Amino acid sequence: ARDVALMSRELAVNFPQVFAYTSIWMEDITHVTARGSSPFTLSNTNKLLKSFEGCDGLKTGSTSQAKYCLSATAERGGVRLISVVLTAPDTKTRFGEAAKLMTYGFGICRLYRDEDRGKLAPVKVSRSTKEQVSCDYEREFTYLSTEGEDLSAVEKELRIPESIEAPIEKGDVVGELAYLLGGREI
């Protein structure tokens, strides 16, 4: 199950366009052969697409030995979860157990996204022809809590020295914006 979850995550992260296909519930297709063409409707075997909020994939499967299996994905509020169920005795159990796992996950997961970092002041540079350099953030900060923590208590601590020494190149790290929750750096 862990291997299937890892493969599903890699697919979701590196090829998110897959959801344009895995989220389709029904599609009309025309089968063209040398004998002519015949239209038919293809329906997705992932019943969670219709019954679980945010479900957008991923893969169902079954064999006589493996029984009924599913790697399900859903996204809500910027959080994507993957639920893997193997060897379920029937399809109802397969979808029910996957939905239970994702419901639990969405119940305890909290996403913190810093949307108000503020503008950084220039930093003085000693031993340089330029008196100061401008600074910018490397990337957006997000934190996913899987403990159900209250993320409104996140505190920010800007750690930038008053001055730095040349040489300095674009892209060099001059400081950091630390995020703390309950005194612990996250």
Side-chain angles (χ1 to χ4, degrees):
R2 183 176 191 277
D3 290 344
V4 172
L6 288 172
M7 289 188 299
S8 299
R9 189 193 79 181
E10 288 302 307
L11 184 61
V13 168
N14 294 313
F15 302 96
Q17 61 271 29
V18 72
F19 297 113
Y21 302 103
T22 62
S23 61
I24 297 172
W25 174 242
M26 293 182 118
E27 184 76 18
D28 291 328
I29 296 173
T30 302
H31 184 68
V32 180
T33 66
R35 293 183 177 166
S37 62
S38 58
F40 68 97
T41 300
L42 186 64
S43 10
N44 198 319
T45 55
N46 184 353
K47 305 305 177 207
L48 290 180
L49 290 173
K50 290 298 248 182
S51 64
F52 192 85
E53 179 191 340
C55 183
D56 54 6
L58 191 63
K59 180 71 178 104
T60 63
S62 63
T63 67
S64 59
Q65 277 192 308
K67 305 291 185 226
Y68 295 91
C69 305
L70 171 67
S71 177
T73 61
E75 186 172 7
R76 293 183 189 168
V79 175
R80 173 171 298 285
L81 296 181
I82 297 169
S83 169
V84 176
V85 175
L86 302 177
T87 67
D90 53 57
T91 60
K92 186 176 179 179
T93 303
R94 162 175 67 182
F95 296 123
E97 292 300 309
K100 281 184 202 175
L101 285 168
M102 289 194 294
T103 298
Y104 173 76
F106 283 123
I108 64 164
C109 289
R110 304 283 181 271
L111 181 66
Y112 174 84
R113 175 174 276 123
D114 187 0
E115 296 173 351
D116 185 27
R117 294 181 293 188
K119 187 160 174 58
L120 292 170
V123 176
K124 293 178 184 175
V125 182
S126 61
R127 297 184 175 184
S128 173
T129 56
K130 285 183 100 179
E131 244 180 71
Q132 60 187 20
V133 291
S134 61
C135 297
D136 203 358
Y137 299 100
E138 181 181 15
R139 64 183 175 278
E140 177 186 47
F141 177 78
T142 59
Y143 171 72
L144 180 65
S145 167
T146 58
E147 306 294 322
E149 300 161 295
D150 176 14
L151 299 180
S152 67
V154 171
E155 297 174 342
K156 298 186 269 188
E157 187 178 296
L158 188 59
R159 300 173 183 163
I160 296 181
E162 285 189 30
S163 71
I164 54 176
E165 196 171 296
I168 187 92
E169 299 284 330
K170 184 175 180 152
D172 286 353
V173 176
V174 296
E176 66 181 9
L177 178 57
Y179 294 84
L180 305 152
L181 182 60
R184 172 180 61 92
E185 194 168 314
I186 57 172

